[in-house]
Amino acid sequence: MTDYKEVVSSVRNSFASGKTKNVQFRIQQLKNLLRFYNENAEKILDAVYKDLRKPNLEAKLVELEVTKQDVEQLLNNVAEWAKPEKVSKTIVTMMEEPIIVKDPYGVVLVIGSWNYPVQLTMMPAAAAIAAGNCVIIKPSEVSSNTAKLLEEYLPKYLDQECYRVVCGGAQETQELLKQKFDYIFYTGAATVGRIVREASNKFLTPCTLELGGKSPTYIDGTADMDITVRRILWGKFTNLGQTCIAPDYILCTKEVEKKFISKAREVLKEWYGEKPQDSPCLGRIINERHFKRVSRLLESGKVAFGGSTDEKDLWIEPTILVDVEATDPVMQEEIFGPILPIVNVDNAFEAIKFINAGEKPLALYVFSKSRDVTDLFLQETSSGGVCVNDTIMHFSVDELPFGGVGNSGIGAYHGKFSFDTFTHKKSTLIRKFDAIGEHLGSGRYPPYSEQKVNRLLFLIKKRNLSFLKYMPYIATFAAGAATALFIIYINKGKQPALVTPVPQTWNEFAYRYLSKLRHAVRL
Ligand code: NAD
């Protein structure tokens, strides 16, 4: 087994050298990463295909392009994001410099998952690099082809003293977790999330846990069924259901269910043909263990569509189950496969009660034209994220933090949130040796007196200074008005010759356009 102690200690020495604190160095590494994607695009798509039979165009989009765009965004912003951030001032800090200094944590461990093996490993790794950390990347051993590719090719592009790829399974990861890290970013199941959390506790290491869970989908009678069906089926069956925010199950009335099933049959035939197993648009279950686990869940309720399996091909047909009860096996765990059970509820209140009886989900989906209904779900449920009238798409909005809550995770990333995740925000106050500041603050020095305390209390009292944000506008207006009045005043009694159609001097301007005002203020 690799000597992880040695690996972490050599990377720690590199961090101590200060190399990664240089923003230009980070930019160069991100450029190298981009080159890695561009020069090895075919190899990457091929590895992902071998791991998951992920359709090439789907993989191109969600593994390659998304990941490249992420690096582009970091490249475009890293210099700005890494700068110390000015914060708003108060009466007390008026003469000071309160700033947030962006410190990298140090040595970061990124543990990836197999279902989107490039994206979910490399997006956090890239953000950790941008934030100035040294990074140890541990891809999932389950997606072994992608793991091997990252292990072989990344060192050719990234600085080997600062960034290392280590491969291995549960045992190796647990050995790795015995080392001290400064931040751990883990993506995967909650059971392992607990192991990671426990290991990080030993060193009080902060960590992000990107976990999963059962993401519910509620459909009401007002939803546009044509669009609803397409959006739900796409979210469910892309990557053959192995997506952390795939809609796990549907909650709706029997009436809505009938409409949903009828449309779903049509759409699934349109997308995947008569024999979905031959469709080039569907992947495969990652391995035998998961095939057996997911197949067992088919025994719940009644099959309304699909249901066939082929163990040798690791194939499970996109399947819709009806007459499913909350106590059925398919409702006891995250499905993480192409099975979509429908549980009947009478209304939104019942659906909310059902959702709140379980763990907090990673995503929650509501399909309804009624704003009251969607607001009800927003107010009465708790989940990592919500997408109304679509599935998965909130994941693609970089301005939204992506992460779980409760059992579905701790922390969030994407866009600037990713950079912030790997950055310690060092609160910094820079003061001067000025006499006024010293006098104002001298009330804190002994000997204490009532008068000194009162003076301090006056200074530190929290005031609502939100009106200060209008000060620049008020000041601009006041300056303009003062100038106008001054011009009017100095022109009092004078009448410039108006020979040109457009005023040529300030005097002409004042005479023409401000004479009414002059009259009004009787100057
Ligand atoms: P996995 O088997 O790839 O495990 C994830 C990582 O944990 C791997 O790197 C693996 O080596 C390591 N690991 C596994 N067992 C371990 C152990 N006993 N001790 C230490 N490390 C161990 O992936 P998985 O857990 O099967 O992933 C599926 C789960 O991940 C689902 O619940 C899914 O919802 C969730 N997920 C969440 C997100 C998200 O962004 N929130 C993304 C993808 C997957």
Side-chain angles (χ1 to χ4, degrees):
M1 199 187 282
T2 314
D3 183 352
Y4 295 122
K5 194 171 175 189
E6 196 280 320
V7 171
V8 178
S9 122
S10 88
V11 169
R12 192 169 287 291
N13 285 339
S14 305
F15 181 75
S17 76
K19 218 169 166 180
T20 59
K21 289 199 175 171
N22 180 326
V23 175
Q24 283 315 313
F25 176 81
R26 303 181 206 175
I27 288 174
Q28 190 52 53
Q29 296 305 311
L30 290 171
K31 283 184 179 165
N32 295 351
L33 193 53
L34 207 51
R35 218 158 41 75
F36 159 72
Y37 293 130
N38 287 327
E39 290 174 7
N40 299 284
E42 288 307 313
K43 287 191 191 81
I44 292 170
L45 297 181
D46 190 45
V48 176
Y49 185 80
K50 282 186 185 141
D51 283 330
L52 286 142
R53 279 268 299 266
K54 207 178 277 222
N56 241 252
L57 286 176
E58 190 181 307
K60 191 174 174 195
L61 199 68
V62 298
E63 296 284 32
L64 205 57
E65 290 307 322
V66 165
T67 319
K68 272 164 63 178
Q69 289 303 317
D70 180 63
V71 178
E72 297 270 13
Q73 190 188 34
L74 290 167
L75 274 169
N76 289 340
N77 293 292
V78 61
E80 190 57 36
W81 290 345
K83 276 186 195 158
E85 195 177 307
K86 287 186 180 151
V87 298
S88 53
K89 296 189 179 187
T90 65
I91 290 181
V92 180
T93 55
M94 200 92 85
M95 318 285 280
E96 327 288 354
E97 201 184 332
I99 50 171
I100 298 171
V101 173
K102 311 292 180 65
D103 260 0
Y105 276 103
V107 180
V108 168
L109 171 63
V110 173
I111 304 176
S113 174
W114 53 263
N115 55 333
Y116 290 83
V118 181
Q119 189 197 128
L120 297 178
T121 311
M122 294 311 296
M123 262 170 59
I129 292 172
N133 298 281
C134 285
V135 192
I136 292 179
I137 303 168
K138 213 301 285 175
S140 173
E141 75 287 5
V142 179
S143 42
S144 56
N145 292 288
T146 311
K148 258 184 243 142
L149 180 110
L150 296 178
E151 187 185 30
E152 189 182 338
Y153 284 91
L154 274 181
K156 296 182 181 163
Y157 293 85
L158 296 179
D159 184 298
Q160 287 188 64
E161 288 176 355
C162 301
Y163 315 109
R164 298 282 283 268
V165 181
V166 295
C167 283
Q171 200 193 343
E172 287 82 1
T173 312
Q174 287 185 15
E175 275 308 308
L176 195 54
L177 284 168
K178 285 183 186 158
Q179 308 308 314
K180 182 179 171 177
F181 292 95
D182 300 299
Y183 201 98
I184 301 177
F185 191 104
Y186 165 80
T187 305
T191 38
V192 180
R194 285 191 185 87
I195 296 174
V196 172
R197 185 78 192 269
E198 223 167 277
S200 68
N201 271 348
K202 187 176 163 206
F203 301 106
L204 291 179
T205 300
C207 55
T208 294
L209 301 179
E210 290 287 339
L211 312 178
K214 292 183 84 62
S215 297
T217 304
Y218 175 70
I219 315 172
D220 82 1
T222 67
D224 177 321
M225 202 45 81
D226 190 27
I227 296 176
T228 299
V229 167
R230 286 171 194 279
R231 290 180 180 177
I232 292 177
L233 295 184
W234 169 75
K236 181 69 190 188
F237 298 127
T238 190
N239 208 29
L240 212 63
Q242 302 161 111
T243 303
C244 56
I245 45 170
D248 190 88
Y249 62 93
I250 290 177
L251 294 167
C252 66
T253 61
K254 205 68 193 166
E255 205 186 338
V256 169
E257 177 190 293
K258 273 190 203 133
K259 289 185 198 158
F260 182 88
I261 300 276
S262 140
K263 190 74 207 171
R265 280 203 182 99
E266 208 181 286
V267 170
L268 289 172
K269 286 230 166 78
E270 178 195 321
W271 286 356
Y272 306 127
E274 288 300 328
K275 198 159 181 257
Q277 192 170 354
D278 294 340
S279 165
C281 300
L282 284 164
R284 290 298 182 266
I285 299 294
I286 183 76
N287 58 24
E288 226 168 88
R289 181 169 71 84
H290 279 281
F291 173 85
K292 289 203 163 79
R293 181 187 64 75
V294 181
S295 301
R296 271 199 304 273
L297 304 179
L298 283 170
E299 284 153 27
S300 309
K302 203 173 86 194
V303 173
F305 185 93
S308 73
T309 63
D310 178 351
E311 184 165 358
K312 271 193 239 105
D313 193 23
L314 295 175
W315 164 253
I316 297 177
E317 188 180 359
T319 300
I320 302 174
L321 299 176
V322 292
D323 298 339
V324 175
E325 299 293 331
T327 48
D328 283 336
V330 78
M331 294 304 293
Q332 306 313 308
E333 59 180 276
E334 179 183 355
I335 298 167
F336 221 55
I339 303 176
L340 182 59
I342 302 183
V343 176
N344 292 129
V345 288
D346 283 336
N347 51 47
F349 297 102
E350 232 181 78
I352 287 171
K353 206 168 152 197
F354 189 95
I355 293 163
N356 288 344
E359 296 285 3
K360 292 180 181 179
L362 184 57
L364 182 130
Y365 302 116
V366 184
F367 287 80
S368 172
K369 280 185 186 152
S370 159
R371 186 68 203 224
D372 287 346
V373 170
T374 53
D375 282 350
L376 193 67
F377 278 88
L378 288 178
Q379 281 157 25
E380 300 299 326
T381 63
S382 174
S383 58
V386 175
C387 188
V388 175
N389 296 332
D390 209 336
T391 62
I392 315 260
M393 294 308 288
H394 62 300
F395 182 90
S396 65
V397 182
D398 278 338
E399 290 68 32
L400 294 174
F402 176 78
V405 58
N407 220 53
S408 55
I410 298 171
Y413 70 131
H414 282 196
K416 174 138 191 312
F417 302 102
S418 297
F419 182 89
D420 287 346
T421 287
F422 294 105
T423 301
H424 167 60
K425 287 155 209 79
K426 188 157 73 181
S427 73
T428 307
L429 179 67
I430 301 173
R431 303 203 63 196
K432 297 183 189 74
F433 293 111
D434 62 306
I436 299 175
E438 181 58 10
H439 175 70
L440 288 175
S442 62
R444 67 196 150 137
Y445 301 143
Y448 303 131
S449 77
E450 198 77 29
Q451 191 196 10
K452 282 179 171 179
V453 169
N454 285 341
R455 197 170 70 211
L456 275 185
L457 287 177
F458 173 79
L459 283 173
I460 63 172
K461 187 173 164 43
K462 300 287 175 220
R463 294 173 178 85
N464 182 359
L465 299 177
S466 55
F467 67 91
L468 284 178
K469 65 176 178 243
Y470 300 114
M471 283 310 277
Y473 305 106
I474 296 169
T476 310
F477 178 78
T483 310
L485 289 175
F486 178 69
I487 292 169
I488 290 165
Y489 180 73
I490 60 169
N491 284 302
K492 202 172 148 187
K494 293 181 201 162
Q495 183 173 339
L498 297 177
V499 288
T500 52
V502 176
Q504 299 293 301
T505 64
W506 276 106
N507 285 354
E508 288 181 23
F509 176 84
Y511 184 78
R512 281 191 189 192
Y513 300 115
L514 302 177
S515 57
K516 281 193 180 143
L517 180 64
R518 189 167 74 175
H519 181 72
V521 294
R522 309 234 187 282
L523 279 167

